[in-house]
Amino acid sequence: MKMQFATVAISLAALTLGGCGKKVDTTSNNAAAAPMNSINAIEPAPVAESAGQMFANAAAASDTFEIESSRLAAANSQSTSVKKFAESMIKAHTDSTAKLGQAASAASPAIVPKPILTSEQQQSLDALKGKKGADFDAAYIEAQTRGHQETLDTLKAYSANGEVPSLKEFATKLIPIVTAHLNMAKGLKS
């Protein structure tokens, strides 16, 4: 909300300053041209996303992060157990993405998950790209543990309070799977 207000304030300031010193032609009889003012110069604020859409986006971003970070493990890890875990995460989260798509499309109206990484996920992925060997393994294990814990918390919250039945069912079915992934990540050694 504060970010939207700041964006609107900056836009208004830019429009106001942009008009300084410009001569306005008030003699034109062109009825097709509506007068420009600060109200109709600003695009309407985007509509807030529903809780179902936000959940679907968070789940999609989680899957994307798990898949992309696990692909890095294939090239950058030195640990056989980390590579094996990563391989299983790619498969599991690819399956999860498909199930999420089915659950989201069953919503009324249908929801389209947007797999946009959070800034924290992107920073973690970027950090992993610069690591190899034992350094990579330690960072990957930490990222997997944190990511699966955050995902588990999100799933539990939506399972308990979600408003879209198909997404609520998806969340409920995924809780034991993500719990197992979290426990496996906690058991990894770098």
Side-chain angles (χ1 to χ4, degrees), residues 128-188:
L128 286 171
K129 289 177 184 176
K131 298 184 183 300
K132 297 244 185 246
D135 288 342
F136 174 87
D137 292 338
Y140 176 77
I141 292 167
E142 191 276 325
Q144 290 297 309
T145 302
R146 184 182 66 248
H148 280 95
Q149 183 62 61
E150 289 170 2
T151 299
L152 183 58
D153 294 343
T154 301
L155 292 170
K156 285 180 176 179
Y158 201 82
S159 176
N161 302 309
E163 81 236 9
V164 179
S166 59
L167 291 177
K168 193 171 181 172
E169 181 181 350
F170 165 81
T172 302
K173 287 181 177 179
L174 220 55
I175 289 172
I177 296 168
V178 173
T179 300
H181 291 175
L182 176 60
N183 290 335
M184 290 181 344
K186 286 179 178 178
L188 287 172

Short mmCIF file of all heavy atoms in Angstrom, two decimals, residues 128-188:
data_model
loop_
_atom_site.label_atom_id
_atom_site.label_comp_id
_atom_site.label_asym_id
_atom_site.label_seq_id
_atom_site.Cartn_x
_atom_site.Cartn_y
_atom_site.Cartn_z
N LEU A 128 23.54 -19.05 -5.21
CA LEU A 128 23.90 -20.44 -5.52
C LEU A 128 24.68 -20.54 -6.83
O LEU A 128 25.58 -21.37 -6.96
CB LEU A 128 22.66 -21.32 -5.59
CG LEU A 128 22.00 -21.68 -4.26
CD1 LEU A 128 20.67 -22.37 -4.50
CD2 LEU A 128 22.91 -22.54 -3.41
N LYS A 129 24.35 -19.70 -7.79
CA LYS A 129 25.02 -19.74 -9.10
C LYS A 129 26.51 -19.47 -8.98
O LYS A 129 27.29 -19.95 -9.80
CB LYS A 129 24.39 -18.72 -10.05
CG LYS A 129 23.01 -19.11 -10.51
CD LYS A 129 22.39 -18.03 -11.38
CE LYS A 129 20.97 -18.39 -11.77
NZ LYS A 129 20.31 -17.33 -12.53
N GLY A 130 26.92 -18.75 -7.95
CA GLY A 130 28.32 -18.40 -7.79
C GLY A 130 29.11 -19.37 -6.91
O GLY A 130 30.26 -19.09 -6.59
N LYS A 131 28.51 -20.46 -6.53
CA LYS A 131 29.19 -21.39 -5.62
C LYS A 131 29.42 -22.74 -6.28
O LYS A 131 28.69 -23.14 -7.17
CB LYS A 131 28.36 -21.56 -4.35
CG LYS A 131 28.18 -20.27 -3.56
CD LYS A 131 27.45 -20.51 -2.27
CE LYS A 131 27.19 -19.24 -1.50
NZ LYS A 131 28.36 -18.50 -1.11
N LYS A 132 30.43 -23.45 -5.78
CA LYS A 132 30.77 -24.79 -6.26
C LYS A 132 31.19 -25.64 -5.07
O LYS A 132 31.59 -25.13 -4.03
CB LYS A 132 31.93 -24.73 -7.26
CG LYS A 132 31.62 -23.94 -8.52
CD LYS A 132 31.67 -24.85 -9.72
CE LYS A 132 31.49 -24.05 -10.99
NZ LYS A 132 30.29 -24.33 -11.69
N GLY A 133 31.10 -26.94 -5.25
CA GLY A 133 31.61 -27.88 -4.25
C GLY A 133 30.93 -27.77 -2.91
O GLY A 133 29.71 -27.62 -2.81
N ALA A 134 31.74 -27.83 -1.85
CA ALA A 134 31.22 -27.83 -0.48
C ALA A 134 30.49 -26.53 -0.15
O ALA A 134 29.49 -26.55 0.58
CB ALA A 134 32.36 -28.07 0.51
N ASP A 135 30.99 -25.40 -0.68
CA ASP A 135 30.30 -24.13 -0.45
C ASP A 135 28.90 -24.17 -1.04
O ASP A 135 27.94 -23.71 -0.43
CB ASP A 135 31.08 -22.96 -1.07
CG ASP A 135 32.34 -22.63 -0.31
OD1 ASP A 135 32.46 -23.03 0.87
OD2 ASP A 135 33.21 -21.95 -0.89
N PHE A 136 28.78 -24.72 -2.26
CA PHE A 136 27.46 -24.84 -2.90
C PHE A 136 26.57 -25.75 -2.05
O PHE A 136 25.42 -25.41 -1.77
CB PHE A 136 27.56 -25.41 -4.31
CG PHE A 136 26.20 -25.66 -4.91
CD1 PHE A 136 25.54 -24.66 -5.59
CD2 PHE A 136 25.58 -26.89 -4.75
CE1 PHE A 136 24.26 -24.87 -6.09
CE2 PHE A 136 24.30 -27.11 -5.25
CZ PHE A 136 23.65 -26.09 -5.94
N ASP A 137 27.10 -26.90 -1.66
CA ASP A 137 26.30 -27.87 -0.91
C ASP A 137 25.72 -27.26 0.36
O ASP A 137 24.53 -27.42 0.64
CB ASP A 137 27.12 -29.12 -0.59
CG ASP A 137 27.45 -29.93 -1.84
OD1 ASP A 137 26.74 -29.79 -2.86
OD2 ASP A 137 28.43 -30.70 -1.79
N ALA A 138 26.55 -26.55 1.12
CA ALA A 138 26.07 -25.93 2.36
C ALA A 138 24.99 -24.90 2.07
O ALA A 138 23.95 -24.86 2.75
CB ALA A 138 27.24 -25.29 3.11
N ALA A 139 25.19 -24.06 1.07
CA ALA A 139 24.21 -23.02 0.72
C ALA A 139 22.92 -23.65 0.18
O ALA A 139 21.82 -23.20 0.49
CB ALA A 139 24.80 -22.05 -0.29
N TYR A 140 23.06 -24.70 -0.62
CA TYR A 140 21.89 -25.38 -1.20
C TYR A 140 21.06 -26.04 -0.09
O TYR A 140 19.83 -25.90 -0.08
CB TYR A 140 22.35 -26.43 -2.22
CG TYR A 140 21.23 -27.26 -2.79
CD1 TYR A 140 20.38 -26.75 -3.77
CD2 TYR A 140 21.01 -28.57 -2.35
CE1 TYR A 140 19.35 -27.52 -4.30
CE2 TYR A 140 19.99 -29.34 -2.89
CZ TYR A 140 19.16 -28.82 -3.85
OH TYR A 140 18.14 -29.57 -4.37
N ILE A 141 21.71 -26.71 0.82
CA ILE A 141 21.00 -27.37 1.93
C ILE A 141 20.25 -26.33 2.76
O ILE A 141 19.07 -26.52 3.10
CB ILE A 141 21.97 -28.19 2.81
CG1 ILE A 141 22.49 -29.39 2.01
CG2 ILE A 141 21.30 -28.64 4.11
CD1 ILE A 141 23.69 -30.09 2.66
N GLU A 142 20.90 -25.22 3.04
CA GLU A 142 20.26 -24.15 3.81
C GLU A 142 19.06 -23.58 3.04
O GLU A 142 17.99 -23.37 3.60
CB GLU A 142 21.28 -23.05 4.11
CG GLU A 142 20.82 -22.02 5.13
CD GLU A 142 19.98 -20.90 4.51
OE1 GLU A 142 20.26 -20.49 3.36
OE2 GLU A 142 19.03 -20.44 5.17
N ALA A 143 19.22 -23.35 1.75
CA ALA A 143 18.14 -22.80 0.92
C ALA A 143 16.97 -23.78 0.83
O ALA A 143 15.80 -23.37 0.87
CB ALA A 143 18.67 -22.46 -0.47
N GLN A 144 17.27 -25.07 0.70
CA GLN A 144 16.21 -26.08 0.61
C GLN A 144 15.46 -26.20 1.94
O GLN A 144 14.24 -26.33 1.95
CB GLN A 144 16.80 -27.44 0.22
CG GLN A 144 17.30 -27.50 -1.21
CD GLN A 144 16.18 -27.30 -2.19
OE1 GLN A 144 15.14 -27.94 -2.14
NE2 GLN A 144 16.38 -26.37 -3.11
N THR A 145 16.18 -26.14 3.03
CA THR A 145 15.55 -26.23 4.35
C THR A 145 14.64 -25.02 4.56
O THR A 145 13.47 -25.17 4.94
CB THR A 145 16.62 -26.32 5.46
OG1 THR A 145 17.45 -27.47 5.20
CG2 THR A 145 15.99 -26.45 6.83
N ARG A 146 15.17 -23.84 4.31
CA ARG A 146 14.38 -22.62 4.48
C ARG A 146 13.18 -22.61 3.52
O ARG A 146 12.05 -22.32 3.92
CB ARG A 146 15.26 -21.38 4.26
CG ARG A 146 14.54 -20.06 4.52
CD ARG A 146 15.42 -18.84 4.26
NE ARG A 146 15.75 -18.76 2.83
CZ ARG A 146 16.95 -18.95 2.31
NH1 ARG A 146 17.98 -19.20 3.09
NH2 ARG A 146 17.16 -18.89 1.02
N GLY A 147 13.42 -22.92 2.27
CA GLY A 147 12.35 -22.89 1.27
C GLY A 147 11.23 -23.87 1.56
O GLY A 147 10.05 -23.53 1.45
N HIS A 148 11.60 -25.08 1.96
CA HIS A 148 10.56 -26.07 2.27
C HIS A 148 9.80 -25.70 3.54
O HIS A 148 8.60 -25.95 3.63
CB HIS A 148 11.17 -27.48 2.36
CG HIS A 148 11.38 -28.10 1.03
ND1 HIS A 148 12.59 -28.04 0.37
CD2 HIS A 148 10.54 -28.76 0.20
CE1 HIS A 148 12.47 -28.65 -0.80
NE2 HIS A 148 11.23 -29.10 -0.93
N GLN A 149 10.46 -25.08 4.51
CA GLN A 149 9.76 -24.64 5.73
C GLN A 149 8.76 -23.55 5.38
O GLN A 149 7.62 -23.57 5.84
CB GLN A 149 10.75 -24.15 6.79
CG GLN A 149 10.08 -23.75 8.10
CD GLN A 149 9.37 -24.93 8.76
OE1 GLN A 149 9.99 -25.92 9.12
NE2 GLN A 149 8.05 -24.85 8.93
N GLU A 150 9.18 -22.58 4.57
CA GLU A 150 8.27 -21.50 4.17
C GLU A 150 7.08 -22.06 3.37
O GLU A 150 5.94 -21.64 3.58
CB GLU A 150 9.02 -20.46 3.34
CG GLU A 150 10.00 -19.64 4.16
CD GLU A 150 10.92 -18.78 3.33
OE1 GLU A 150 10.81 -18.76 2.08
OE2 GLU A 150 11.78 -18.11 3.93
N THR A 151 7.36 -22.99 2.48
CA THR A 151 6.29 -23.60 1.69
C THR A 151 5.33 -24.38 2.58
O THR A 151 4.10 -24.29 2.42
CB THR A 151 6.87 -24.51 0.60
OG1 THR A 151 7.68 -23.71 -0.26
CG2 THR A 151 5.79 -25.20 -0.21
N LEU A 152 5.87 -25.12 3.52
CA LEU A 152 5.03 -25.88 4.45
C LEU A 152 4.12 -24.95 5.24
O LEU A 152 2.91 -25.22 5.39
CB LEU A 152 5.90 -26.72 5.40
CG LEU A 152 5.17 -27.62 6.38
CD1 LEU A 152 4.26 -28.61 5.65
CD2 LEU A 152 6.18 -28.35 7.25
N ASP A 153 4.66 -23.83 5.72
CA ASP A 153 3.85 -22.86 6.46
C ASP A 153 2.73 -22.31 5.58
O ASP A 153 1.59 -22.17 6.03
CB ASP A 153 4.73 -21.72 6.98
CG ASP A 153 5.74 -22.18 8.02
OD1 ASP A 153 5.58 -23.28 8.59
OD2 ASP A 153 6.71 -21.42 8.26
N THR A 154 3.04 -22.00 4.33
CA THR A 154 2.04 -21.47 3.39
C THR A 154 0.96 -22.51 3.12
O THR A 154 -0.23 -22.19 3.10
CB THR A 154 2.73 -21.05 2.07
OG1 THR A 154 3.71 -20.05 2.36
CG2 THR A 154 1.74 -20.51 1.07
N LEU A 155 1.37 -23.76 2.90
CA LEU A 155 0.40 -24.83 2.65
C LEU A 155 -0.53 -25.04 3.84
O LEU A 155 -1.74 -25.20 3.67
CB LEU A 155 1.13 -26.14 2.32
CG LEU A 155 1.88 -26.20 1.00
CD1 LEU A 155 2.74 -27.45 0.94
CD2 LEU A 155 0.91 -26.14 -0.18
N LYS A 156 0.04 -25.06 5.03
CA LYS A 156 -0.78 -25.27 6.23
C LYS A 156 -1.79 -24.14 6.41
O LYS A 156 -2.96 -24.39 6.74
CB LYS A 156 0.11 -25.39 7.47
CG LYS A 156 0.82 -26.71 7.58
CD LYS A 156 1.69 -26.77 8.83
CE LYS A 156 2.34 -28.13 9.01
NZ LYS A 156 3.20 -28.17 10.21
N ALA A 157 -1.35 -22.92 6.17
CA ALA A 157 -2.25 -21.77 6.32
C ALA A 157 -3.38 -21.84 5.31
O ALA A 157 -4.55 -21.62 5.65
CB ALA A 157 -1.47 -20.46 6.17
N TYR A 158 -3.06 -22.16 4.05
CA TYR A 158 -4.11 -22.21 3.04
C TYR A 158 -5.01 -23.42 3.24
O TYR A 158 -6.22 -23.35 3.03
CB TYR A 158 -3.55 -22.19 1.62
CG TYR A 158 -4.61 -21.73 0.64
CD1 TYR A 158 -4.86 -20.38 0.46
CD2 TYR A 158 -5.40 -22.65 -0.03
CE1 TYR A 158 -5.87 -19.96 -0.39
CE2 TYR A 158 -6.42 -22.23 -0.88
CZ TYR A 158 -6.65 -20.88 -1.06
OH TYR A 158 -7.66 -20.46 -1.88
N SER A 159 -4.44 -24.52 3.68
CA SER A 159 -5.24 -25.72 3.96
C SER A 159 -6.28 -25.43 5.04
O SER A 159 -7.41 -25.90 4.98
CB SER A 159 -4.32 -26.85 4.40
OG SER A 159 -5.07 -27.99 4.77
N ALA A 160 -5.90 -24.62 6.02
CA ALA A 160 -6.81 -24.31 7.12
C ALA A 160 -7.81 -23.21 6.77
O ALA A 160 -8.96 -23.26 7.21
CB ALA A 160 -5.99 -23.88 8.35
N ASN A 161 -7.38 -22.23 5.98
CA ASN A 161 -8.21 -21.04 5.78
C ASN A 161 -8.48 -20.67 4.33
O ASN A 161 -9.04 -19.61 4.07
CB ASN A 161 -7.55 -19.84 6.46
CG ASN A 161 -7.33 -20.08 7.94
OD1 ASN A 161 -8.25 -20.45 8.65
ND2 ASN A 161 -6.11 -19.88 8.39
N GLY A 162 -8.07 -21.50 3.39
CA GLY A 162 -8.22 -21.16 1.97
C GLY A 162 -9.67 -21.08 1.54
O GLY A 162 -10.54 -21.77 2.08
N GLU A 163 -9.91 -20.24 0.53
CA GLU A 163 -11.28 -20.04 0.07
C GLU A 163 -11.61 -20.80 -1.20
O GLU A 163 -12.76 -20.95 -1.56
CB GLU A 163 -11.54 -18.55 -0.14
CG GLU A 163 -11.01 -18.06 -1.46
CD GLU A 163 -10.05 -16.90 -1.41
OE1 GLU A 163 -9.61 -16.51 -0.33
OE2 GLU A 163 -9.75 -16.41 -2.49
N VAL A 164 -10.59 -21.28 -1.93
CA VAL A 164 -10.83 -22.00 -3.18
C VAL A 164 -10.72 -23.50 -2.89
O VAL A 164 -9.62 -23.99 -2.59
CB VAL A 164 -9.82 -21.57 -4.28
CG1 VAL A 164 -10.05 -22.35 -5.57
CG2 VAL A 164 -9.90 -20.07 -4.53
N PRO A 165 -11.83 -24.24 -2.99
CA PRO A 165 -11.82 -25.65 -2.61
C PRO A 165 -10.73 -26.49 -3.31
O PRO A 165 -10.07 -27.29 -2.66
CB PRO A 165 -13.22 -26.14 -2.98
CG PRO A 165 -14.06 -24.91 -2.91
CD PRO A 165 -13.17 -23.78 -3.37
N SER A 166 -10.55 -26.31 -4.61
CA SER A 166 -9.56 -27.13 -5.32
C SER A 166 -8.14 -26.81 -4.86
O SER A 166 -7.30 -27.72 -4.74
CB SER A 166 -9.69 -26.96 -6.84
OG SER A 166 -9.51 -25.60 -7.20
N LEU A 167 -7.86 -25.55 -4.57
CA LEU A 167 -6.53 -25.18 -4.07
C LEU A 167 -6.34 -25.62 -2.62
O LEU A 167 -5.24 -26.01 -2.23
CB LEU A 167 -6.30 -23.67 -4.20
CG LEU A 167 -6.16 -23.14 -5.62
CD1 LEU A 167 -6.03 -21.62 -5.61
CD2 LEU A 167 -4.97 -23.77 -6.34
N LYS A 168 -7.41 -25.57 -1.86
CA LYS A 168 -7.36 -26.02 -0.47
C LYS A 168 -7.05 -27.52 -0.42
O LYS A 168 -6.23 -27.97 0.38
CB LYS A 168 -8.69 -25.70 0.22
CG LYS A 168 -8.67 -25.83 1.70
CD LYS A 168 -9.96 -25.29 2.29
CE LYS A 168 -9.92 -25.41 3.79
NZ LYS A 168 -11.02 -24.74 4.44
N GLU A 169 -7.68 -28.28 -1.31
CA GLU A 169 -7.42 -29.72 -1.39
C GLU A 169 -5.97 -29.98 -1.83
O GLU A 169 -5.29 -30.84 -1.29
CB GLU A 169 -8.39 -30.37 -2.38
CG GLU A 169 -8.21 -31.87 -2.51
CD GLU A 169 -9.17 -32.49 -3.53
OE1 GLU A 169 -10.11 -31.82 -4.00
OE2 GLU A 169 -8.96 -33.68 -3.85
N PHE A 170 -5.50 -29.20 -2.81
CA PHE A 170 -4.11 -29.31 -3.27
C PHE A 170 -3.15 -29.07 -2.11
O PHE A 170 -2.21 -29.84 -1.89
CB PHE A 170 -3.86 -28.29 -4.40
CG PHE A 170 -2.41 -28.04 -4.70
CD1 PHE A 170 -1.70 -28.92 -5.52
CD2 PHE A 170 -1.76 -26.93 -4.20
CE1 PHE A 170 -0.37 -28.68 -5.81
CE2 PHE A 170 -0.43 -26.68 -4.49
CZ PHE A 170 0.27 -27.57 -5.30
N ALA A 171 -3.38 -28.01 -1.35
CA ALA A 171 -2.52 -27.68 -0.22
C ALA A 171 -2.51 -28.79 0.82
O ALA A 171 -1.45 -29.20 1.32
CB ALA A 171 -2.96 -26.36 0.42
N THR A 172 -3.69 -29.30 1.13
CA THR A 172 -3.82 -30.34 2.14
C THR A 172 -3.06 -31.61 1.72
O THR A 172 -2.35 -32.22 2.54
CB THR A 172 -5.30 -30.66 2.39
OG1 THR A 172 -5.96 -29.45 2.81
CG2 THR A 172 -5.48 -31.74 3.44
N LYS A 173 -3.19 -31.99 0.45
CA LYS A 173 -2.50 -33.19 -0.04
C LYS A 173 -0.99 -33.02 -0.10
O LYS A 173 -0.25 -33.99 0.00
CB LYS A 173 -3.03 -33.58 -1.42
CG LYS A 173 -4.43 -34.17 -1.39
CD LYS A 173 -4.90 -34.55 -2.77
CE LYS A 173 -6.26 -35.20 -2.73
NZ LYS A 173 -6.76 -35.55 -4.07
N LEU A 174 -0.53 -31.78 -0.26
CA LEU A 174 0.91 -31.54 -0.39
C LEU A 174 1.64 -31.45 0.95
O LEU A 174 2.85 -31.63 1.00
CB LEU A 174 1.14 -30.25 -1.20
CG LEU A 174 2.26 -30.28 -2.20
CD1 LEU A 174 2.12 -31.42 -3.18
CD2 LEU A 174 2.36 -28.97 -2.93
N ILE A 175 0.91 -31.18 2.02
CA ILE A 175 1.55 -31.01 3.33
C ILE A 175 2.44 -32.19 3.71
O ILE A 175 3.61 -31.99 4.07
CB ILE A 175 0.50 -30.70 4.43
CG1 ILE A 175 -0.04 -29.28 4.22
CG2 ILE A 175 1.08 -30.86 5.83
CD1 ILE A 175 -1.22 -28.92 5.11
N PRO A 176 1.99 -33.45 3.64
CA PRO A 176 2.88 -34.55 4.04
C PRO A 176 4.09 -34.69 3.10
O PRO A 176 5.18 -35.08 3.54
CB PRO A 176 2.00 -35.79 4.00
CG PRO A 176 0.74 -35.40 3.32
CD PRO A 176 0.64 -33.92 3.34
N ILE A 177 3.91 -34.37 1.83
CA ILE A 177 5.01 -34.47 0.87
C ILE A 177 6.08 -33.43 1.18
O ILE A 177 7.28 -33.74 1.24
CB ILE A 177 4.48 -34.31 -0.58
CG1 ILE A 177 3.54 -35.47 -0.91
CG2 ILE A 177 5.63 -34.21 -1.58
CD1 ILE A 177 2.73 -35.28 -2.18
N VAL A 178 5.66 -32.20 1.42
CA VAL A 178 6.62 -31.13 1.72
C VAL A 178 7.26 -31.36 3.09
O VAL A 178 8.44 -31.07 3.28
CB VAL A 178 5.95 -29.74 1.61
CG1 VAL A 178 6.88 -28.63 2.08
CG2 VAL A 178 5.51 -29.48 0.16
N THR A 179 6.50 -31.91 4.02
CA THR A 179 7.08 -32.26 5.33
C THR A 179 8.21 -33.27 5.14
O THR A 179 9.28 -33.14 5.75
CB THR A 179 5.99 -32.82 6.27
OG1 THR A 179 4.97 -31.83 6.45
CG2 THR A 179 6.57 -33.21 7.62
N ALA A 180 8.00 -34.26 4.30
CA ALA A 180 9.04 -35.26 4.03
C ALA A 180 10.24 -34.61 3.35
O ALA A 180 11.40 -34.91 3.71
CB ALA A 180 8.48 -36.38 3.15
N HIS A 181 10.00 -33.70 2.41
CA HIS A 181 11.12 -32.99 1.74
C HIS A 181 11.92 -32.18 2.75
O HIS A 181 13.15 -32.15 2.69
CB HIS A 181 10.60 -32.06 0.65
CG HIS A 181 10.01 -32.76 -0.53
ND1 HIS A 181 9.41 -32.08 -1.56
CD2 HIS A 181 9.93 -34.07 -0.85
CE1 HIS A 181 8.98 -32.93 -2.47
NE2 HIS A 181 9.28 -34.15 -2.05
N LEU A 182 11.22 -31.49 3.64
CA LEU A 182 11.88 -30.69 4.67
C LEU A 182 12.75 -31.58 5.55
O LEU A 182 13.92 -31.25 5.83
CB LEU A 182 10.84 -29.94 5.52
CG LEU A 182 11.37 -29.14 6.70
CD1 LEU A 182 12.35 -28.06 6.25
CD2 LEU A 182 10.21 -28.52 7.48
N ASN A 183 12.22 -32.71 5.97
CA ASN A 183 13.00 -33.62 6.81
C ASN A 183 14.21 -34.17 6.07
O ASN A 183 15.29 -34.32 6.66
CB ASN A 183 12.11 -34.74 7.34
CG ASN A 183 11.12 -34.24 8.36
OD1 ASN A 183 11.33 -33.22 9.03
ND2 ASN A 183 9.99 -34.92 8.47
N MET A 184 14.04 -34.46 4.78
CA MET A 184 15.18 -34.95 3.98
C MET A 184 16.24 -33.85 3.86
O MET A 184 17.43 -34.12 3.98
CB MET A 184 14.72 -35.40 2.59
CG MET A 184 13.91 -36.67 2.63
SD MET A 184 13.29 -37.35 1.05
CE MET A 184 13.42 -36.12 -0.16
N ALA A 185 15.82 -32.61 3.64
CA ALA A 185 16.77 -31.49 3.50
C ALA A 185 17.53 -31.29 4.81
O ALA A 185 18.75 -31.07 4.79
CB ALA A 185 16.03 -30.22 3.12
N LYS A 186 16.82 -31.39 5.93
CA LYS A 186 17.47 -31.23 7.24
C LYS A 186 18.50 -32.34 7.49
O LYS A 186 19.47 -32.14 8.21
CB LYS A 186 16.44 -31.24 8.35
CG LYS A 186 15.62 -29.97 8.44
CD LYS A 186 14.59 -30.08 9.55
CE LYS A 186 13.80 -28.81 9.71
NZ LYS A 186 12.76 -28.92 10.77
N GLY A 187 18.28 -33.52 6.89
CA GLY A 187 19.18 -34.65 7.09
C GLY A 187 20.39 -34.67 6.15
O GLY A 187 21.29 -35.51 6.33
N LEU A 188 20.41 -33.77 5.18
CA LEU A 188 21.54 -33.74 4.24
C LEU A 188 22.81 -33.23 4.91
O LEU A 188 22.76 -32.35 5.75
CB LEU A 188 21.22 -32.83 3.03
CG LEU A 188 20.22 -33.38 2.02
CD1 LEU A 188 19.87 -32.28 1.01
CD2 LEU A 188 20.78 -34.59 1.31
#
